[in-house]
Amino acid sequence: EAQVTQNPRYLITVTGKKLTVTCSQNMNHEYMSWYRQDPGLGLRQIYYSMNVEVTDKGDVPEGYKVSRKEKRNFPLILESPSPNQTSLYFCASSLRRVIRTSYYEQYFGPGTRLTVT
Amino acid sequence: DQQVKQNSPSLSVQEGRISILNCDYTNSMFDYFLWYKKYPAEGPTFLISISSIKDKNEDGRFTVFLNKSAKHLSLHIVPSQPGDSAVYFCAASAVKDNFNKFYFGSGTKLNVKP
């Protein structure tokens, strides 16, 4: 079954304790992305990756890191979490659009609800 | 500054009637638009899309309309069913340096009453 998986689904942690949220897809997608969802703000992109070893900042990258060492995995790292990073996080993947007339939707994971106290 | 806006946080519709969800955008470089549906405790799932070369795309009960001059997108659901109750996100993308970045609206929560 084609899917994007995220772990953990729920996480409660304390300020400053490093954590990693894993994301994995089995569709051989080049493009992967992390979003956070906050009330009234919708989905905001944190980081994205076009392919292995190629990553770039999204709209809200502060306080986050990512890596893309393998095509299927795109972990999100919070080196020193703070309460303002309490949010619902989604990982997504898609084929990479390289020509103007190619269109691909993103596939989303089930989400990770993070609470930082 | 949000480039994709959904100004109605919620919408309530009677079963069997039409649901119309609206979305506005500001970036004229957007050329691909999508609607996603999200149930509680699940990730968004793709519903329907439209490219900027079209003004309408239909898939069963779902139709998306694009008005480029007004920078406006709408999703019509006819007839609405209780199972359509969910949060709907509008999204847009533009080809930028061979990357495919998606911009999302804040979502509209649709409630279809039996």
Side-chain angles (χ1 to χ4, degrees), chain A residues 39-110:
Chain A
L41 298 176
L43 292 160
R44 294 181 294 167
Q45 191 177 55
I46 303 170
Y47 268 94
Y48 63 95
S49 170
M50 189 190 75
N51 215 325
V52 176
E53 303 292 1
V54 182
T55 63
D56 204 353
K57 296 177 181 178
D59 298 314
V60 287
E62 294 78 19
Y64 304 95
K65 284 176 56 177
V66 293
S67 68
R68 188 91 182 271
K69 298 191 188 316
E70 304 166 282
K71 197 172 187 179
R72 64 184 294 125
N73 297 322
F74 190 45
L76 180 70
I77 303 156
L78 283 74
E79 294 270 4
S80 182
S82 62
N84 65 10
Q85 293 178 297
T86 292
S87 188
L88 179 58
Y89 291 86
F90 291 102
C91 179
S93 75
S94 71
L95 291 170
R96 181 168 62 91
R97 188 179 179 193
V98 293
I99 58 174
R100 191 173 180 84
T101 53
S102 64
Y103 305 105
Y104 306 111
E105 71 270 21
Q106 288 193 322
Y107 293 79
F108 283 83

Side-chain angles (χ1 to χ4, degrees), chain B residues 23 35 40 45 47 49 53 76 78 81-82 85-86 96 102 108-109:
Chain B
C23 178
W35 285 94
T45 55
L47 186 60
S49 66
I53 61 173
H76 293 210
V78 183
Q81 299 174 353
S85 297
K96 173 193 169 189
F102 290 81
T108 297
K109 186 173 184 179

Side-chain angles (χ1 to χ4, degrees), chain A residues 9-10 31 35 37-38 40-45 48-50 54 56-59 88 90 94-100 102-111, chain B residues 2-3 28-34 36 38 41-46 49-53 87 89 93-107:
Chain A
R9 293 289 311 276
Y10 302 91
Y31 189 88
Y35 297 88
Q37 183 190 356
D38 301 292
L41 298 176
L43 292 160
R44 294 181 294 167
Q45 191 177 55
Y48 63 95
S49 170
M50 189 190 75
V54 182
D56 204 353
K57 296 177 181 178
D59 298 314
L88 179 58
F90 291 102
S94 71
L95 291 170
R96 181 168 62 91
R97 188 179 179 193
V98 293
I99 58 174
R100 191 173 180 84
S102 64
Y103 305 105
Y104 306 111
E105 71 270 21
Q106 288 193 322
Y107 293 79
F108 283 83
Chain B
Q2 277 194 295
Q3 299 190 45
S28 58
M29 295 303 293
F30 287 151
D31 64 347
Y32 182 44
F33 303 87
L34 310 91
Y36 283 85
K38 184 185 177 304
E42 295 182 11
T45 55
F46 170 72
S49 66
I50 188 168
S51 71
S52 59
I53 61 173
V87 177
F89 290 100
S93 74
V95 175
K96 173 193 169 189
D97 298 328
N98 287 331
F99 291 83
N100 193 344
K101 180 172 179 176
F102 290 81
Y103 297 83
F104 284 82
S106 54

Side-chain angles (χ1 to χ4, degrees), chain B residues 46-49 57-64 75-76 78:
Chain B
F46 170 72
L47 186 60
I48 192 169
S49 66
N57 188 28
E58 207 169 340
D59 184 2
R61 296 186 296 115
F62 302 92
T63 303
V64 56
L75 174 68
H76 293 210
V78 183

